[in-house]
Amino acid sequence: MNRVRRTLLRGVSTAGALTAAFATGLLAPRRAWAGAWNQAGFGTKAVADALRSIGASESVESPDILVKAPDIAENGAIVPIEVISRIPNTRFIAIVADKNPFPLIAIFEFRDGAEGFVSTRVKLGESTFVRAIVKADDRVYSARREVKVTIGGCG
């Protein structure tokens, strides 16, 4: 009986100490915090404004960016997209769907020489071009691929 009580008290005191450490910020996962929210970019309904908000209005087409997506997506609610950047020092990858109500879909930031690779699922309202925007060494590159959608996923 005393062993169970001691184990219970030890667990409660450890949980209390961890809660206090999280509450005071001593154990906060600082490296996992997200960057600043680009409200203007994600809220715009025009492709040109979305590209301008991420500094990609004058991007250069690059064969070093590979956009993998199905040619025909039967369900626009779940379209797998994969972007691979072979450009050294890739700092971010953004995904833009030209005909979506809100074209800027996602921005992924990379640090400390991380490999430029993104795999995600997106919603597409109708057949559209999906653009991958890559920023590396203060230059902006892009690539795009057309995806035909049979049933739209944005409505």
Side-chain angles (χ1 to χ4, degrees), residues 48-65:
D49 292 339
L51 293 175
R52 192 175 312 114
S53 74
I54 58 175
S57 54
E58 296 183 16
S59 63
V60 178
E61 291 277 331
S62 174
D64 293 327
I65 302 170

Side-chain angles (χ1 to χ4, degrees), residues 110-154:
F110 303 94
R111 291 189 179 172
D112 302 329
E115 183 178 339
F117 173 79
V118 170
S119 179
T120 187
R121 295 175 187 261
V122 301
K123 286 186 175 183
L124 297 177
E126 58 185 291
S127 298
T128 184
F129 281 103
V130 174
R131 299 175 194 231
I133 309 295
V134 173
K135 184 173 183 181
D137 291 332
D138 296 328
R139 297 197 63 194
V140 181
Y141 305 91
S142 67
R144 68 181 189 170
R145 179 182 177 98
E146 184 176 15
V147 177
K148 295 182 180 180
V149 177
T150 56
I151 300 173
C154 289

Side-chain angles (χ1 to χ4, degrees), residues 66-70 75-84 93-97 104-108 110 117-124 130-132 147:
L66 179 63
V67 180
K68 290 184 178 178
N75 183 0
I78 306 170
V79 180
I81 304 287
E82 197 172 288
V83 178
I84 301 167
I93 294 176
I95 299 174
V96 176
L104 182 58
I105 295 174
I107 299 173
F108 301 92
F110 303 94
F117 173 79
V118 170
S119 179
T120 187
R121 295 175 187 261
V122 301
K123 286 186 175 183
L124 297 177
V130 174
R131 299 175 194 231
V147 177

